[in-house]
Amino acid sequence: MAALSLSLAPPTAVLPCLPRRPAASRLSPRGPSRSTLVVCLGANPKVPLPIASPSPLGDDPAKWDPTECDALLRGGEQVASVLQEMLTLMEDMEMDGAFAPVAVELVAQGVIGNRVDEMESGFLMALDYMIQLAQKDGDDERNSLLEVVKQTVLDHLTKKCPPHVQVVGLLCQTEKKESRHELLRRVAAGGGVFENDKGLKCQIPGANLNDIANQADDLLESMETRPTIPDRKLLARLVIVREEARNMMGGGILDERNDRGLNTLPQAEVNFLSKLVALKPGKAVEKMISDVMHGKEEGADNTESTNTGPNSDLEPSAGTSGRENAMGRKAHPVRPGMFLETVSKVLGGIYAKNTSGITAQHLEWVHQTTLKILQEMAF
């Protein structure tokens, strides 16, 4: 108990030395945290469900955006307040070391359950930043405590979301392919108790496989239409979730539910696919696919433009990456989700016309190789 009290007191010991809050006149209106990836439509908490950690802020506070800096400071204040309340509740508890971790989890559940709807958008950002500092300092005790708080927050937020959103979050945290498939089967059968990769059991809801695939696809679209992708690991996880959920539906690649309105194939992805099909399958082609999936060559981000509005310099459906089209706009780079969507559409057209042959086999190889590369990226 003494060790726990030491790790909790005072809360400011967990807080890093953050830059001073900018003057109010210099602050822009606060936008959503970079960790915000799924909007919970079933409820309206102040912090939507994140299914991955926010992108690193960088080691130089002077380069941080003022809006993010302000959100981080506000979130840090709330983290300190939560830790202080946990300490107050645990001061009168007398437990030996074996029960101390359980006590911390129970107290965290109670404190965070009462505050989850009031949390600032920067709470998780500040929590992740503190965890990074604890790991850098080699302080396992502080890191363990903060991880308990973070997981408790995520659990509470998850319960506020629609079932298919909860399932997408769970799938993105499940590393083993067999475990993801078992999770999808349980969900499709109406839910129940599921044991994850780490041996922990959790109650999962029932959800529609088509809703799960569409939710992952919507998130992919929102990420891939941006000039840059800050978290390719999360992107790879979402692609895997979408493909595995679709594959589990009865009609497979020709299932009409997989038709999400992609009537015109994107030219950048088509050009890259044509280049792959013209080459013999092997290590060289696999490396080409890997480079693009990792954001190199044809998949390199357009870092020169940050405008994602209707007047953006990006042209998402014309040209090849790195070239300019006739209007002088930068072409959209090849994106993992859109690339696999293109492969599936071309394959579906081949199978629908009963003209399968060497080309279909080649495309199947490209599809499976891409999924293998994304699996390695995701986890």
Side-chain angles (χ1 to χ4, degrees):
M1 188 63 218
L4 281 172
S5 299
L6 180 64
S7 67
L8 283 167
T12 51
V14 187
L15 289 169
C17 296
L18 299 173
R20 296 178 60 186
R21 188 191 300 273
S25 60
R26 294 172 56 195
L27 289 177
S28 306
R30 282 191 295 158
S33 166
R34 281 190 291 182
S35 64
T36 302
L37 292 175
V38 182
V39 178
C40 301
L41 302 178
N44 295 306
K46 292 179 70 175
V47 186
L49 171 69
I51 52 180
S53 299
S55 303
L57 288 168
D59 296 327
D60 187 1
K63 296 181 180 179
W64 293 354
D65 182 85
T67 302
E68 289 181 340
C69 180
D70 182 55
L72 183 66
L73 286 165
R74 292 177 185 272
E77 291 169 359
Q78 276 199 331
V79 173
S81 177
V82 165
L83 294 175
Q84 180 62 60
E85 187 172 346
M86 289 175 61
L87 173 62
T88 301
L89 291 174
M90 295 186 66
E91 280 179 345
D92 298 329
M93 299 174 67
E94 294 183 3
M95 292 186 180
D96 57 31
F99 293 96
V102 178
V104 172
E105 292 183 11
L106 291 175
V107 171
Q109 287 282 352
V111 172
I112 292 169
N114 294 329
R115 292 176 171 232
V116 69
D117 290 333
E118 304 172 357
M119 286 180 177
E120 294 283 343
S121 62
F123 184 91
L124 284 168
M125 187 192 301
L127 201 52
D128 266 2
Y129 184 60
M130 294 177 191
I131 289 172
Q132 291 172 18
L133 289 180
Q135 292 172 346
K136 187 180 295 185
D137 296 340
D139 192 334
D140 295 336
E141 192 173 16
R142 177 165 38 126
N143 179 58
S144 177
L145 173 66
L146 292 170
E147 287 284 4
V148 168
V149 174
K150 177 182 177 181
Q151 188 58 49
T152 305
V153 172
L154 294 179
D155 291 343
H156 278 281
L157 291 175
T158 298
K159 294 175 184 177
K160 294 178 175 290
C161 295
H164 61 279
V165 176
Q166 296 182 37
V167 174
V168 170
L170 288 170
L171 289 168
C172 284
Q173 299 174 37
T174 305
E175 179 177 351
K176 295 180 181 178
K177 181 178 180 179
E178 296 78 12
S179 297
R180 290 196 301 272
H181 288 183
E182 178 62 22
L183 175 56
L184 285 169
R185 284 192 287 268
R186 294 282 183 88
V187 167
V193 178
F194 173 72
E195 185 174 336
N196 64 15
D197 295 340
K198 300 178 181 178
L200 300 176
K201 293 183 179 181
C202 60
Q203 187 73 26
I204 57 174
N208 185 285
L209 290 175
N210 193 40
D211 290 340
I212 294 170
N214 290 346
Q215 178 68 49
D217 192 48
D218 289 340
L219 289 169
L220 280 171
E221 183 180 1
S222 69
M223 294 180 71
E224 293 190 334
T225 51
R226 299 177 183 177
T228 60
I229 296 176
D231 192 343
R232 285 190 175 267
K233 177 178 287 190
L234 174 60
L235 185 73
R237 292 180 182 183
L238 288 170
V239 175
I240 290 171
V241 169
R242 184 191 69 184
E243 296 299 313
E244 291 180 349
R246 286 180 174 179
N247 190 54
M248 198 164 284
M249 291 194 288
I253 198 170
L254 294 178
D255 196 311
E256 61 182 12
R257 291 171 294 180
N258 289 338
D259 185 1
R260 295 273 282 162
L262 185 62
N263 298 320
T264 303
L265 296 178
Q267 191 172 345
E269 280 76 7
V270 170
N271 289 343
F272 180 60
L273 182 59
S274 299
K275 181 191 294 188
L276 297 178
V277 173
L279 301 173
K280 183 179 179 180
K283 292 293 183 182
V285 177
E286 185 173 343
K287 185 180 185 305
M288 290 171 61
I289 298 173
S290 179
D291 286 344
V292 169
M293 295 302 106
H294 284 86
K296 303 174 184 177
E297 304 297 338
E298 289 93 337
D301 289 334
N302 283 315
T303 55
E304 297 177 3
S305 173
T306 57
N307 180 15
T308 58
N311 297 321
S312 170
D313 290 334
L314 293 178
E315 186 64 32
S317 61
T320 56
S321 179
R323 300 180 184 176
E324 294 185 356
N325 61 16
M327 306 222 13
R329 294 178 177 175
K330 281 288 184 182
H332 202 288
V334 176
R335 296 304 196 197
M338 187 59 69
F339 175 68
L340 274 179
E341 184 88 352
T342 302
V343 175
S344 296
K345 289 294 181 183
V346 175
L347 265 174
I350 292 175
Y351 289 144
K353 296 177 182 178
N354 294 318
T355 57
S356 59
I358 296 178
T359 302
Q361 294 174 10
H362 198 158
L363 289 173
E364 287 283 8
W365 181 86
V366 169
H367 191 273
Q368 292 303 317
T369 301
T370 304
L371 282 177
K372 184 187 75 171
I373 292 169
L374 291 173
Q375 170 72 23
E376 294 170 354
M377 287 174 56
F379 300 98

